[in-house]
Amino acid sequence: QVQLVESGGGLVQAGASLRLSCAASGRTFSASFMGWFRQAPGKEREFVAAISWSGGSTYYADSVKGRFTVSRDNAKNTVYLQMNSLKPEDAAVYYCAGSISGSVYFIPGYRYWGQGTQVTVSS
């Protein structure tokens, strides 16, 4: 089992930036993809971005493409989400997750989840 811990959330003004971190640890690490998800009050949890551990390929939801950047540091077992030009609609609890599936968009493949970190964007 892999343990994931997110950090970096906070309260920012619209147009500002935040950098989220997700540190992975555990006896065994078997994730193929590391993804970022978010959930706002009253809404379903949605896919935000993901990156493959081996090749570093990145994937983004249309709503964040061009504003968010996902990256990784394999030596530190850490994944990052750089969020720029934040909008009030980006406010949510952000989760990182590890997928054991070979398909980045196969949501049930994400077996490891962090506790979440709150991102609040004010106008």
Side-chain angles (χ1 to χ4, degrees), residues 29-34 51-55 98-103 112:
F29 188 83
S30 59
S32 298
F33 301 96
M34 294 297 297
I51 187 169
S52 64
W53 274 120
S54 58
S99 175
I100 63 173
S101 172
S103 178
Y112 314 124

Side-chain angles (χ1 to χ4, degrees), residues 65-109:
K65 199 169 187 178
R67 298 188 298 120
F68 291 10
T69 303
V70 62
S71 61
R72 56 157 166 76
D73 187 335
N74 295 72
K76 293 181 171 62
N77 289 322
T78 301
V79 178
Y80 306 94
L81 183 66
Q82 179 66 45
M83 305 185 294
N84 298 328
S85 302
L86 282 163
K87 306 174 181 179
E89 64 193 62
D90 294 318
V93 176
Y94 283 71
Y95 301 88
C96 66
S99 175
I100 63 173
S101 172
S103 178
V104 66
Y105 298 116
F106 183 63
I107 306 305

Side-chain angles (χ1 to χ4, degrees), residues 3 7 12 63:
Q3 185 173 6
S7 62
V12 299
S63 59

